[in-house]
Amino acid sequence: MSIKRAEKITMWTVLVAIISFIIMRCFHRELYLMIPERTYLFVHSGIEFIDFAVSFTMLVLGWLFFAKSLSKHRLYTAALFSAIGLFDLLHALTAKGMPFYMAAGETTLSSLFAVTGRLFGAVGLFVIFRKADMSIPASRRLPAFIIALGIAATLAVCYFTIADQPSVPVLTGNSIALLRILVHFVIIFSYISTITMVLYLHRTERPQALLTIIQALVFFTIANLQFVLGSDFHDSDLVLAHLYKLAGYYSLMKGIYYVTIYEPFKQQKRTESRINYLAYHDELTGLSNRRLLKEKLDEELALARMNESQLAVFLFDIDRFKNVNDALGHSFGDQMLQAVSERLRYAVGKTNHLFRMGGDEFVMLMPDVKETGDERVEKQAKAIMGLFDAPFLLGDAEYHITISLGISFFPKDGDSVEVLLKNADTAMYSAKAHRNEFSAYVPEMNQKAHDRLRLESDLRKAIEQEQFTLAYQPLVNLSTGKVVGVEALVRWNHPKRGLLPPGDFIHLTEENGLILQLGEWVLRAACKQNVTWQEAGLPAMMMSVNLSMRQFRQHQLAERIKDILVQTGMPPQYLELEITESMTSDVEFAAETLTSLKELGVQISIDDFGTGYSSLVSLKRFPIDKLKIDRSFVGDLSQGGSDAAIVSTITTMAKNLKLKVTAEGVENDEQIQFLRDRNCEEAQGFYFTKPIPANLFENWFRHRSQSA
C-alpha cells in the first residue's frame, strides 16, 4: 500500500468517526435508549474482554517481534497497553452484575479501574510520542514490561484495599465530582496534544504504521468525549463509547502489526527479490548478467538441438573504452555504459536475449537461424553497429563511440556455452584489429588469438629486458629549413619477430597497463639521447615525446617527469610533451594537469589536432604551445578541397591564439609550399626522412647541416 493511499484511508476513517459522533450528539434524543441490565452486562463484558485480548496481543507482538528493530515508541507502547489490558480485565470482572462487584465511596471499583486505564493510556501515549522515535537495546524489553505491569498491579491492590474501607473522603461529595472533571480533562487534553505532536514531528513523511496510530488517537479522543457526555447508566451512550474505544484499540494494534510483522515481512520480500534480481541482472545497466546468459544460452541450445536449428551469438564491446575511463573517470564511464545499454535495449527488442557480460562487453542471442549464411544475421550485426553512428549526449557534450562485434554459430562453431562465447570473443578481437567492424568466427582466428596472448606475454619480458629502441623523426622549420627538433617514436626489437612498429603492440600495453612503464622508459631514453647529442656537439633542439592517455591520468605525473629531467640532466625547455585532443575531454582535469606540467618549464603540444572534439573555449584554457595537424588532412592538400580548407583554418586559428603549428605526414613539394603559404611554422614526414635510429639521425643531421 502506498503512503498516499494510506493517508487517504486515514483521512476518511477520521472523518467518518468525527461525523458519526456529531450525528449521534445532534440526534441524541432520537437515538438514545436504555439497555436491559443483563444485555448490557453481556455486551459490555464482551467488549472489555476483546479490549484485553487486543492489549495482550500488543504485549505479545512487542515481546516476540521487536528484538531486531526495537525502538522506544514500539516497546513502551506495548508495555503501556499490557498495563491497560490488566485494568480493562479488572474493570470487566468488577462491573455491576459480576461476582467481584464492589463499591468504593460514591463510585465503584469497576469505574476506578476504567478511568485509571483511560488515564494511563492518554498520559502514557503523550509521554511516549512527545519525542521522535529512536532505537534502544533489547535489554530494556523485560524491565519495561515488568515496570508497567508492576505499577498496574500495585494500583489494583490499592483499589481493592480502598474498596474495603467504609468511607473514602476523596471518593465522596464534591471531591469525586472535581476529580472526575480533572481526570477527563487530562485524558482529552493528552490525546489532542499527542495527535498534534505526532503530526508535527512527522510533517514531512507519514508511514502507514504512524497513520494507524493517528486513527487510534482520534477514536480514543471521541470515546472519552462520549464517556464525559454520557451517564453512568447501562444505556446506548456507554456502549457507543466502548465501541469507539475498541476501534481505537484495533487501530493501535494494527499500527503495531504493520511495524512488527507486515513491514518487516514486506522488507524481507523486497530484499529477497532484490537479491534474486541482482543474482541474475547487472546492477548498473539493469540488463541480464553473465549467470543468466549461461542459463538462457543453455535453454536456447537445447531448443536448437530439438528443432535442428542454428543459433547465433553476438559478442561486442566498446572500442577504446579504457581510454574513456582514463580520460573522463569511471563515473562518466558508468554513464556511458548506461546510455549504451538503453540504446541496445530499445533496438534489440527481446531484452531476455541481451546481456552484459561485465565491463564494456555485451552479448546478444539470435535463435532460429536457418543457416550460417543467413542474411538476417548480417542484417542484425549491421543494425547493432548502426546504433553507434549517432553520438551519445551526456551532460552538455556529444561523444562518438564505436564497437567491435564477433559472431559464433551453433553448432558449427561449438556446441556448448563456453565454446560459443570463447569463439565469439575471438571473432570480436579479430574485428577489433580494424575497429568499428564485425566478424564471424573462423578457426584460423584461434591462431591469431594465441599469437596475441603470446605477444602480450612477451611484452612483459620486453619491459623487464628493455627490448625497446627509439627512432627519431625530425621537425623542420619551413622558413629557415633548419631542424628544430625531433619526435621520439618507440620500436620493439622482438627477439624472434624482429623490429615491430608501435601499431603492433601499443594497444596491448594500453589494455594491460604496461603503457605506464613503457611510457616512462621512452621519456627517460629520449631525454638521455637529447643530452648525449648536445654533448656530442649537436645544437640544442626540441625533443618531442608522446604521452598516452593512462600516463596523462597518472598520479603525480608532473613530479615523475621532473625526476626524469633531473636524473638525465635534460633542460626542461627542450622537452615537448604531446597529448591528443581526447585527453582534454575532462576540461577541469586537463587544465590542472597541463598547468602543473607547464610549471616544469616544458613545452606542450596537441597531437593529431582536428580529429577530436576540442572547443575553442576549452582550448583557450589550456597552457599549450603548439598544434600538430594530423596527417589525414595533409595528404590531399595539393588537390584543394575540404582538407585544404581545414588546414588553412587551423593555421589561422593558431596564429590568432599565438600558437605554433606543425604539419605531420608531409611527403612532397606541393604540400611544403601550401604550408609555407599558410604560415605553418614546422613540418615532419617522409619528405625529410622516415623515423631513424639515433646514430643514423646524427649522421643525417650533420650531412644536412653541411649541405645547407
Side-chain angles (χ1 to χ4, degrees), residues 330-488:
H330 288 276
S331 177
F332 180 87
D334 288 346
Q335 294 180 46
M336 179 67 75
L337 288 172
Q338 289 172 333
V340 168
S341 66
E342 283 301 312
R343 193 171 289 188
L344 288 170
R345 184 181 283 108
Y346 286 115
V348 170
K350 290 186 177 181
T351 54
N352 64 336
H353 286 163
L354 181 64
F355 308 83
R356 183 188 176 202
M357 286 276 285
D360 62 321
E361 285 190 340
F362 297 85
V363 170
M364 196 201 78
L365 304 182
M366 187 173 179
D368 299 323
V369 176
K370 301 305 179 185
E371 56 186 23
T372 304
D374 194 331
E375 292 183 358
R376 294 187 303 124
V377 175
E378 183 175 351
K379 184 179 179 181
Q380 181 68 69
K382 289 180 179 178
I384 295 174
M385 302 294 294
L387 292 175
F388 298 87
D389 291 342
F392 287 85
L393 181 62
L394 298 176
D396 297 327
E398 292 183 345
Y399 298 89
H400 291 263
I401 61 172
T402 59
I403 64 168
S404 297
L405 188 152
I407 308 171
S408 64
F409 293 90
F410 166 83
K412 181 178 75 73
D413 301 326
D415 60 355
S416 68
V417 171
E418 290 75 15
V419 174
L420 285 169
L421 291 176
K422 180 182 76 69
N423 290 339
D425 187 65
T426 300
M428 181 194 71
Y429 273 103
S430 176
K432 195 173 282 292
H434 306 285
R435 309 285 180 186
N436 197 28
E437 292 285 348
F438 69 89
S439 179
Y441 172 79
V442 292
E444 290 77 12
M445 291 178 179
N446 278 332
Q447 183 60 45
K448 292 182 179 179
H450 180 269
D451 291 343
R452 182 179 182 275
L453 289 174
R454 186 66 208 174
L455 191 65
E456 186 172 352
S457 177
D458 291 345
L459 263 174
R460 299 185 182 277
K461 293 181 182 178
I463 295 289
E464 296 173 2
Q465 300 174 8
E466 296 189 0
Q467 296 175 0
F468 299 96
T469 185
L470 294 180
Y472 301 90
Q473 188 169 42
L475 282 75
V476 178
N477 185 291
L478 293 179
S479 299
T480 64
K482 292 182 178 180
V483 177
V484 294
V486 292
E487 180 177 359

Side-chain angles (χ1 to χ4, degrees), residues 537-651:
L538 268 66
M541 66 180 71
M542 191 68 66
M543 175 62 72
S544 183
V545 179
N546 290 280
L547 289 181
S548 71
M549 179 73 77
R550 284 203 171 193
Q551 277 182 286
F552 191 65
R553 303 286 298 189
Q554 193 175 15
H555 181 59
Q556 295 182 332
L557 175 62
E559 287 77 0
R560 293 173 182 273
I561 293 176
K562 181 180 179 181
D563 290 342
I564 291 175
L565 291 172
V566 172
Q567 292 167 11
T568 59
M570 170 80 163
Q573 64 268 26
Y574 294 120
L575 175 63
E576 180 178 271
L577 300 173
E578 295 187 14
I579 64 170
T580 60
E581 281 187 271
S582 58
M583 297 183 193
T584 64
S585 299
D586 187 342
V587 176
E588 296 298 329
F589 176 82
E592 181 180 347
T593 303
L594 291 175
T595 299
S596 65
L597 293 175
K598 193 64 181 171
E599 289 173 353
L600 299 177
V602 301
Q603 302 289 297
I604 306 290
S605 67
I606 294 185
D607 194 16
D608 300 335
F609 187 77
T611 60
Y613 304 96
S614 295
S615 68
L616 291 177
V617 175
S618 60
L619 201 61
K620 287 171 61 179
R621 293 188 56 188
F622 302 144
I624 58 177
D625 304 284
K626 183 191 296 184
L627 301 179
K628 298 189 74 174
I629 302 174
D630 187 67
R631 65 181 67 249
S632 61
F633 300 120
V634 176
D636 296 329
L637 285 181
S638 58
Q639 300 177 11
S642 59
D643 286 344
I646 291 172
V647 171
S648 298
T649 301
I650 293 175
T651 54

